[in-house]
Amino acid sequence: QVQLVESGGGLVQAGGSLRLSCAASRIIFSINTLGWYRQAPGKQRELVATITSGYNRNYADSVKGRFTISRDNAKKTVSLQMNSLKPEDTAVYYCTIDMNYWGKGTLVTVSS
């Protein structure tokens, strides 16, 4: 089975930074669009950022300028650098491959 495992979540103060990573296995990685989504309690899962096989990046307006998505095809990882975190960033963050495969999520809690 395709496996995606997120890491790096935790508790951070507002204004702080976290880096999330996701490692994939059992899949051809370099050709895929990768992404991060998040889901807060009572809300729909929403797009945070995507990165294509050509390294084109897209971000939700709410995180643009604060978050950076990156990929390492050799390591089969996708990362999300999160700076200037806000309480409204609190959510479970999921990595995805082409919106077809999903990790189990990692919780990010931002306190104020």
Side-chain angles (χ1 to χ4, degrees):
Q1 313 272 46
V2 173
Q3 294 187 8
L4 298 172
V5 180
E6 300 99 334
S7 62
L11 175 65
V12 66
Q13 294 285 116
S17 297
L18 283 175
R19 184 176 178 86
L20 307 182
S21 294
C22 176
S25 62
R26 299 181 182 271
I27 191 169
I28 304 299
F29 192 80
S30 62
I31 63 173
N32 299 111
T33 293
L34 311 173
W36 287 94
Y37 283 69
R38 66 187 182 188
Q39 188 167 27
K43 296 186 65 178
Q44 295 281 338
R45 182 177 57 189
E46 65 177 358
L47 172 72
V48 177
T50 61
I51 182 167
T52 69
S53 61
Y55 297 90
N56 293 317
R57 296 169 170 87
N58 288 293
Y59 298 95
D61 288 341
S62 59
V63 308
K64 193 172 295 182
R66 299 188 297 120
F67 291 10
T68 302
I69 188 171
S70 60
R71 66 190 294 163
D72 188 331
N73 292 337
K75 296 179 180 179
K76 293 187 176 182
T77 59
V78 56
S79 298
L80 186 70
Q81 179 66 46
M82 304 185 293
N83 299 327
S84 301
L85 283 161
K86 304 174 180 180
E88 48 264 50
D89 295 318
T90 295
V92 176
Y93 285 71
Y94 301 89
C95 66
T96 183
I97 300 176
D98 285 333
M99 280 66 73
N100 293 321
Y101 303 100
W102 298 87
K104 294 180 180 179
T106 185
L107 177 63
V108 172
T109 303
V110 184
S111 63
S112 180

